Amino acid sequence: LLEKEEFDALKNKKHQEYVSYISSSAQMLLLLLDNMINFYKFEKNEVVLNEEEVDLSDLLKESIVLIQTATQFKNKKIYFQPIKNVFLKGDKRILKQIFLNILLNSLKFTLNDGKINISLQKLSTGIRLIFKDNGVGIKKEKLKHLFDPFCSISPSFNKIPQGMGLGLVLVKKMVILHQGRVIVKSRLNKGTVLMIDFPKDRLIFTRKK
């Protein structure tokens, strides 16, 4: 309501920032709650896709704006080169949750001056989303537990309050639900690359009238 109404008190730039922080913190809390609820639904095989035509670039940009407004990430950069007219047949809410969880995880593993590069790559088999960070990377012995439920592998240097260890678990489940796959490559002190492949059967390259 504060964001939508024109209050005199909110004409102050600092106050506008405060409202933005409140909103972004609420969104992060909502993400954690969504993760918990969706994990329960997956365990009970109750997740159903509400499919529509989703603009991947627009949804990624929306997710980036949301995640960057969080105060603890203000010094970390996210770069994205969108590809126009690439639409995916999928569940918009679930896809957004996928992107937010990936971005949140990548930001946890980057230092204050860190960066994340996001790109879309067209393949003969479909399309690939690439999330590449220059963070601290993940140890080989921990990498195999990346998708284990309730297993937190966040680096010790990070003082950000940790989640429940469900973010990437749900990413994999949600991607598989869209007939896709997740690939993760990481080297200690070199960064991490997470790739999502969606099949061409789910791609729509021109928007329907």
Side-chain angles (χ1 to χ4, degrees):
L1 288 173
L2 287 171
E3 286 178 326
K4 292 178 181 178
E5 298 291 338
E6 293 184 2
F7 294 106
D8 289 338
L10 293 182
K11 292 181 180 178
N12 181 296
K13 186 176 180 180
K14 198 67 178 177
H15 292 168
Q16 292 173 356
E17 290 180 2
Y18 294 156
V19 172
S20 176
Y21 294 156
I22 292 170
S23 178
S24 63
S25 295
Q27 290 292 335
M28 291 301 100
L29 179 59
L30 180 61
L31 176 62
L32 291 175
L33 291 172
D34 276 345
N35 282 346
M36 185 168 59
I37 293 169
N38 281 312
F39 180 76
Y40 175 81
K41 287 183 177 180
F42 270 107
E43 290 295 294
K44 298 292 184 179
N45 295 317
E46 295 177 352
V47 180
V48 179
L49 292 180
N50 181 22
E51 295 184 336
E52 59 181 302
E53 190 176 315
V54 180
D55 186 319
L56 282 181
S57 290
D58 282 354
L59 190 59
L60 276 166
K61 286 187 286 186
E62 182 181 330
S63 302
I64 291 168
V65 169
L66 178 58
I67 206 84
Q68 281 193 316
T69 54
T71 56
Q72 64 265 46
F73 301 137
K74 62 184 179 181
N75 294 323
K76 302 180 183 184
K77 305 298 182 183
I78 302 176
Y79 300 96
F80 172 51
Q81 294 182 339
I83 297 179
K84 294 182 179 180
N85 300 321
V86 177
F87 301 89
L88 188 77
K89 182 182 178 183
D91 189 308
K92 185 175 182 179
R93 184 187 66 83
I94 288 180
L95 288 171
K96 184 176 182 180
Q97 193 171 5
I98 289 172
F99 300 153
L100 288 175
N101 275 311
I102 292 172
L103 290 171
L104 184 61
N105 190 75
S106 293
L107 288 167
K108 285 180 180 179
F109 279 85
T110 58
L111 300 172
N112 285 334
D113 58 347
K115 64 179 181 179
I116 300 171
N117 288 292
I118 306 172
S119 58
L120 294 172
Q121 181 182 358
K122 293 181 181 179
L123 306 174
S124 59
T125 54
I127 196 163
R128 172 171 287 180
L129 282 70
I130 305 170
F131 299 81
K132 182 179 181 180
D133 67 59
N134 66 341
V136 297
I138 304 169
K139 292 181 179 179
K140 187 176 181 180
E141 60 268 25
K142 289 187 175 182
L143 191 60
K144 60 184 179 181
H145 297 296
L146 194 62
F147 298 105
D148 291 350
F150 306 108
C151 179
S152 177
I153 58 171
S154 295
S156 58
F157 75 84
N158 206 314
K159 296 181 180 180
I160 298 170
Q162 303 305 319
M164 297 171 288
L166 294 177
L168 290 182
V169 176
L170 284 169
V171 165
K172 185 174 182 178
K173 289 179 179 292
M174 290 172 172
V175 169
I176 291 174
L177 198 62
H178 285 84
Q179 290 83 49
R181 65 170 183 163
V182 180
I183 305 166
V184 180
K185 297 180 180 181
S186 186
R187 292 178 60 192
L188 198 60
N189 300 319
K190 296 292 184 180
T192 301
V193 179
L194 186 147
M195 294 169 282
I196 298 176
D197 290 348
F198 289 115
K200 60 182 179 181
D201 290 346
R202 284 198 165 268
L203 290 180
I204 307 167
F205 289 104
T206 57
R207 175 166 283 178
K208 295 178 181 178
K209 301 293 184 181

